[in-house]
Amino acid sequence: MRRRRRRPRAYRRRSPSRAAAGTRVVSDCSETFVPAVDWLGGLGADVRGNAERRAEDLVRLNHGLLSDLQVRARVGRVRGDPGLHVEAGSRVGAIPLRSPVTGRPDFGLVVTPRFPWSGVGDLLATTGFRIVPELLPLPELPQSERRIPPWVLSSVVLQRLERLLEASTRRFTTVEADLRAPRGAVDWTAYASARLPRGRALEVPCRYPDLRDDERLRSAIHWTVRRHRDGLLAAPAGGRVVRELLALCERLLGRLAGTPPVPPGARLRAAWHRTPFVPRAFREGIAAIDWTADERGLAGLSDLAGLSWRLDMAAFFEAWVEAITAWVATRTGAFLRAGREERTRVSLDWRPRRAGSQRSLLPDLVLSRPGLVVVLDAKYKRHAADIERLGWSGVADRLREEHRADLLQALAYSSLYDAERIVSLLVYPCGVERWRELARRRRVLARARVRSRQRNLEMGLLAVPLGGDPTEPGAMLEQLVREPLS
């Protein structure tokens, strides 16, 4: 009897152990569900279960990095598909994530602002680049989508190069030149045989030490500035921030006039890194030159891997509100104190002292003039937008509790000062177009009076556009400051 041939088993291709795109992008102050199978991959018959276990391991391995970026991640399922519920805070940036399979930084997470980058750039320029992205000493990210504009990295690099120029020291170098008067070691043989017979008696060949700038370092800085200037000119329109950065490039190039731009070699950069006892500005400046020479960008801007970075949008928004309030102070003659300078801190005297909890109160901004005190507390949250859109009864319980805490904090700030009229404002961000719509409807500022026999207390919610010019929101605040005392 003839035996039947067994058919060969059909080849079943396994699911990849790593997804093709190793970096995920989410927005700040939001919650996003990232499917585990698409991102982390899976193996075996139970692909979903395997991907869910990988997601749990990913959270466990990268708990510290996620917390530093104010990101909370928990494993869950949506319609039966496992994944990560990623809840981002007020920090934006990019961090590498260790793979649960290889233990290497094969994955990455990028948190972008929920507002357009153009508005963030306007604020960056308006605040004088007071708050810029912070580069982290972490491994590079895998290549990701190019959603971050090039001026973000340029703002970091150019600021570091400016500090490097200011911190660079002059050093002694051996110079050989023909001088009118002898200096150092004179080559009398060359003078007698080559200068005098040709009637060049006033050209004395000398070799002497001279205190000069490090020309190789200046040439590397010159080349780096030109690279970033060319990149900013070739980038799409970036608004005011690009104009400010181009102006900074021209100022640096003016200081480097006379020095040719030369790209630094790998050996020279390595020698700079080995230089002992150098200031921090020198180390950071050399690192900025390295990023440009190696064509590395923020989270995959270039064809190579991306740098790890972060930017605290809460501090960034506070600096923007301070710029607006400073404009109002110059217009009204009011006195401005800022919490970042520790000028608004008020200590709390606990009795007994060991039983106390919080030791002081620190309002963000205090604007004062005779008979009036305005306390501003910047909150980079969605509260104002959600309450205005959904109403107080429509928002989630968690948001209501957070908003109540903010109101109580503002009320506590108002009790710190003694004036005929005290206004305590919670300042929230919104988009430029949304703010203009609120301005047309006269809903930029909402106020409530607090009944008090001794003082005139007011609470308020103030919407501020994240972008544009400080004069528009400043005019609203100026109107409040100029109101007559009743």
Side-chain angles (χ1 to χ4, degrees), residues 7-236:
R7 288 187 177 182
R9 291 183 179 180
Y11 174 71
R12 294 181 61 184
R13 188 170 186 176
R14 288 185 171 185
S15 301
S17 60
R18 288 187 296 172
T23 300
R24 285 295 181 269
V25 182
V26 298
S27 298
D28 67 348
C29 298
S30 64
E31 184 173 341
T32 307
F33 180 78
V34 181
V37 176
D38 295 342
W39 190 21
L40 306 176
L43 287 174
D46 187 12
V47 176
R48 292 184 176 181
N50 184 264
E52 187 172 11
R53 287 189 292 272
R54 287 186 178 183
E56 294 172 352
D57 292 339
L58 183 78
V59 174
R60 178 179 53 82
L61 288 172
N62 301 280
H63 176 74
L65 289 174
L66 293 172
S67 299
D68 188 64
L69 200 59
Q70 294 183 354
V71 173
R72 292 189 295 181
R74 56 183 176 86
V75 181
R77 292 204 173 206
V78 173
R79 301 185 190 92
D81 294 328
L84 286 171
H85 294 274
V86 180
E87 185 178 351
S90 61
R91 286 184 180 175
V92 299
I95 55 172
L97 300 177
R98 291 173 58 190
S99 168
V101 178
T102 64
R104 297 191 298 267
D106 296 331
F107 300 97
L109 181 67
V110 178
V111 181
T112 60
R114 63 184 186 270
F115 300 99
W117 274 109
S118 58
V120 177
D122 291 342
L123 270 62
L124 194 71
T126 303
T127 56
F129 298 95
R130 183 187 307 160
I131 306 293
V132 295
E134 176 187 2
L135 280 301
L136 303 177
L138 297 174
E140 297 174 347
L141 281 76
Q143 186 176 356
S144 66
E145 298 180 17
R146 305 180 181 186
R147 298 192 181 187
I148 302 174
W151 55 258
V152 178
L153 178 61
S154 295
S155 65
V156 181
V157 171
L158 294 175
Q159 294 287 325
R160 290 191 174 194
L161 293 180
E162 186 177 28
R163 291 194 295 268
L164 176 60
L165 266 180
E166 295 172 354
S168 58
T169 57
R170 308 176 75 185
R171 64 178 185 177
F172 283 98
T173 58
T174 303
V175 181
E176 295 183 2
D178 291 345
L179 303 179
R180 297 177 65 88
R183 183 179 178 183
V186 179
D187 189 350
W188 293 112
T189 302
Y191 180 73
S193 60
R195 305 298 192 274
L196 285 179
R198 299 179 180 179
R200 298 159 57 185
L202 296 181
E203 297 180 6
V204 182
C206 303
R207 190 171 185 268
Y208 58 93
D210 191 14
L211 186 62
R212 293 189 175 184
D213 294 321
D214 190 341
E215 291 299 321
R216 292 190 298 180
L217 179 59
R218 288 174 60 88
S219 296
I221 298 174
H222 193 169
W223 175 82
T224 306
V225 173
R226 284 185 174 272
R227 285 291 304 272
H228 282 269
R229 187 192 63 174
D230 296 342
L232 291 170
L233 289 173

Side-chain angles (χ1 to χ4, degrees), residues 140-424:
E140 297 174 347
L141 281 76
Q143 186 176 356
S144 66
E145 298 180 17
R146 305 180 181 186
R147 298 192 181 187
I148 302 174
W151 55 258
V152 178
L153 178 61
S154 295
S155 65
V156 181
V157 171
L158 294 175
Q159 294 287 325
R160 290 191 174 194
L161 293 180
E162 186 177 28
R163 291 194 295 268
L164 176 60
L165 266 180
E166 295 172 354
S168 58
T169 57
R170 308 176 75 185
R171 64 178 185 177
F172 283 98
T173 58
T174 303
V175 181
E176 295 183 2
D178 291 345
L179 303 179
R180 297 177 65 88
R183 183 179 178 183
V186 179
D187 189 350
W188 293 112
T189 302
Y191 180 73
S193 60
R195 305 298 192 274
L196 285 179
R198 299 179 180 179
R200 298 159 57 185
L202 296 181
E203 297 180 6
V204 182
C206 303
R207 190 171 185 268
Y208 58 93
D210 191 14
L211 186 62
R212 293 189 175 184
D213 294 321
D214 190 341
E215 291 299 321
R216 292 190 298 180
L217 179 59
R218 288 174 60 88
S219 296
I221 298 174
H222 193 169
W223 175 82
T224 306
V225 173
R226 284 185 174 272
R227 285 291 304 272
H228 282 269
R229 187 192 63 174
D230 296 342
L232 291 170
L233 289 173
R240 181 177 178 181
V241 64
V242 172
R243 295 195 298 270
E244 292 288 340
L245 289 175
L246 288 174
L248 176 58
C249 289
E250 295 303 327
R251 291 197 300 270
L252 293 176
L253 292 177
R255 296 175 59 179
L256 295 166
T259 302
V262 179
R267 290 186 178 180
L268 179 58
R269 287 185 279 140
W272 285 333
H273 282 294
R274 291 193 300 267
T275 305
F277 309 114
V278 293
R280 178 180 177 181
F282 182 88
R283 295 195 304 270
E284 292 181 347
I286 299 303
I289 295 175
D290 281 340
W291 302 330
T292 307
D294 296 338
E295 295 185 353
R296 285 181 286 173
L298 291 177
L301 278 178
S302 65
D303 294 333
L304 302 178
L307 298 171
S308 305
W309 63 282
R310 71 181 175 193
L311 174 63
D312 194 335
M313 291 299 294
F316 188 72
F317 179 61
E318 182 181 335
W320 170 236
V321 176
E322 182 180 346
I324 296 172
T325 312
W327 182 85
V328 175
T330 58
R331 297 266 300 179
T332 60
F335 181 68
L336 176 63
R337 287 174 290 170
R340 65 177 180 86
E341 299 174 346
E342 295 289 329
R343 299 175 63 187
T344 64
R345 186 179 295 278
V346 178
S347 300
L348 300 179
D349 188 11
W350 290 91
R351 298 298 173 89
R353 187 172 182 81
R354 292 184 178 180
S357 54
Q358 188 170 336
R359 298 297 179 181
S360 62
L361 296 177
L362 185 66
D364 292 338
L365 299 164
V366 177
L367 191 65
S368 59
R369 61 184 305 190
L372 172 67
V373 172
V374 180
V375 184
L376 298 99
D377 193 21
K379 299 291 186 183
Y380 186 76
K381 299 178 179 179
R382 294 179 178 267
H383 292 183
D386 291 343
I387 294 173
E388 197 275 336
R389 179 171 53 90
L390 301 173
W392 180 248
S393 60
V395 297
D397 293 338
R398 177 183 170 186
L399 187 146
R400 280 191 282 186
E401 288 299 323
E402 291 182 359
H403 186 64
R404 286 193 188 100
D406 293 343
L407 287 174
L408 292 176
Q409 183 182 17
L411 187 60
Y413 288 161
S414 65
S415 65
L416 302 176
Y417 306 97
D418 186 14
E420 185 177 350
R421 181 189 175 204
I422 299 177
V423 182
S424 188

